[in-house]
Amino acid sequence: MANTNPSQLLPSELIDRCIGSKIWVIMKGDKELVGTLRGFDVYVNMVLEDVTEYEITAEGRRITKLDQILLNGNNIAIVSKSYL
Amino acid sequence: MSGRKETVLDLAKFVDKGVQVKLTGGRQVTGTLKGYDQLLNLVLDEAVEFLRDADDPLKTTDQTRRLGLIVCFLLILVILFKHSQEGSSFIRSRTGEYVLKFIVTRGVVGLQMNRLTLDDIGSIEIKRRMFHFCYRFAGELL
């Protein structure tokens, strides 16, 4: 691995380790998604499967289920493996 | 290009230390810095997010939630200290706690964040990114 500092964990490396497992994606706005990560690219656009989308509103959470999606990485704020 | 490995901020000294970061959109997260890349995407462990005010997304509340090990993107500001500076050319966040100073001399952009002075800016790419960075941040605050 061409990592100059092996004691450090690169962001892309961590996401790579999450491929195949369930991840929690928090968008810049008020949307959050939980789904299985199938792949991602340099822009951190993601392919997710069995997705549950949560839209946090004043009234509560609006839930949408989606089979397979391509998520544009432009608006992703946080990615976590452990979720809620 | 020689600037390939450069970053706007040298975060190496903050690895394994507690940091507080603000993301575009106003999310604010604290955690232990575990890693980063050239674009200032960060890996934070034991991260905690301060939830935002429903009326004003730039304000945070006392409510928190635990996120665990995370990657965060689109960093606009690394808050490493509470500010200890004075001077009118500083930009403060709405809470008045954090500062960011823009220094432009002879076409060279410098950015001072709290006690860190970033006047040693190398490549044009970094300068371009820096301008973009400042612009986005200023746009968010002003």
Side-chain angles (χ1 to χ4, degrees):
Chain A
M1 214 182 313
N3 189 352
T4 48
N5 190 345
S7 67
Q8 259 186 47
L9 186 55
L10 285 172
S12 52
E13 218 179 293
L14 185 61
I15 300 169
D16 195 64
R17 283 193 212 166
C18 293
I19 287 179
S21 48
K22 264 210 149 147
I23 58 162
W24 179 21
V25 182
I26 303 174
M27 308 301 283
K28 281 203 287 184
D30 293 318
K31 281 191 178 146
E32 297 177 14
L33 299 102
V34 173
T36 309
L37 181 65
R38 288 295 167 214
F40 68 99
D41 64 13
V42 288
Y43 304 105
V44 204
N45 300 319
M46 292 175 173
V47 175
L48 296 171
E49 277 178 3
D50 305 321
V51 183
T52 313
E53 180 189 330
Y54 302 93
E55 192 176 354
I56 287 98
T57 59
E59 295 84 50
R61 296 201 298 189
R62 189 183 305 140
I63 296 171
T64 316
K65 299 261 188 198
L66 301 154
D67 267 357
Q68 191 177 45
I69 62 163
L70 171 61
L71 181 67
N72 190 315
N74 208 15
N75 293 311
I76 298 175
I78 295 167
V79 176
S80 178
K81 194 168 178 178
S82 49
Y83 63 96
L84 291 177
Chain B
M1 201 153 114
S2 65
R4 195 65 186 80
K5 284 254 181 312
E6 289 176 76
T7 54
V8 171
L9 265 171
D10 180 24
L11 293 175
K13 54 182 167 248
F14 298 108
V15 169
D16 290 325
K17 303 232 163 50
V19 294
Q20 186 168 13
V21 301
K22 193 164 179 176
L23 313 177
T24 48
R27 288 185 191 276
Q28 198 163 312
V29 182
T30 62
T32 311
L33 184 65
K34 287 292 170 192
Y36 58 92
D37 62 20
Q38 291 101 327
L39 299 171
L40 292 182
N41 299 323
L42 307 179
V43 177
L44 298 179
D45 200 4
E46 291 164 12
V48 173
E49 181 188 354
F50 292 88
L51 298 181
R52 291 174 294 181
D53 197 322
D55 303 323
D56 183 357
L58 285 177
K59 275 189 192 152
T60 51
T61 61
D62 291 335
Q63 282 179 287
T64 60
R65 61 172 177 179
R66 297 171 61 83
L67 301 176
L69 182 63
I70 61 161
V71 176
C72 46
F73 302 92
L74 303 157
L75 179 72
I76 55 161
L77 173 62
V78 185
I79 303 155
L80 303 158
F81 313 89
K82 297 275 180 189
H83 92 92
S84 61
Q85 299 272 10
E86 64 294 317
S88 58
S89 54
F90 288 89
I91 289 179
R92 289 163 198 274
S93 73
R94 292 196 183 183
T95 53
E97 284 171 302
Y98 311 115
V99 285
L100 185 72
K101 185 182 182 183
F102 299 98
I103 312 147
V104 184
T105 40
R106 282 160 287 153
V108 178
V109 187
L111 176 66
Q112 193 176 337
M113 285 178 184
N114 299 326
R115 274 181 249 164
L116 292 175
T117 308
L118 305 161
D119 49 10
D120 183 29
I121 303 164
S123 68
I124 290 170
E125 171 58 21
I126 293 291
K127 280 175 196 156
R128 192 195 60 77
R129 202 180 291 160
M130 193 82 171
F131 260 120
H132 189 63
F133 186 79
C134 296
Y135 180 75
R136 270 209 327 224
F137 179 66
E140 196 132 334
L141 279 186
L142 301 176

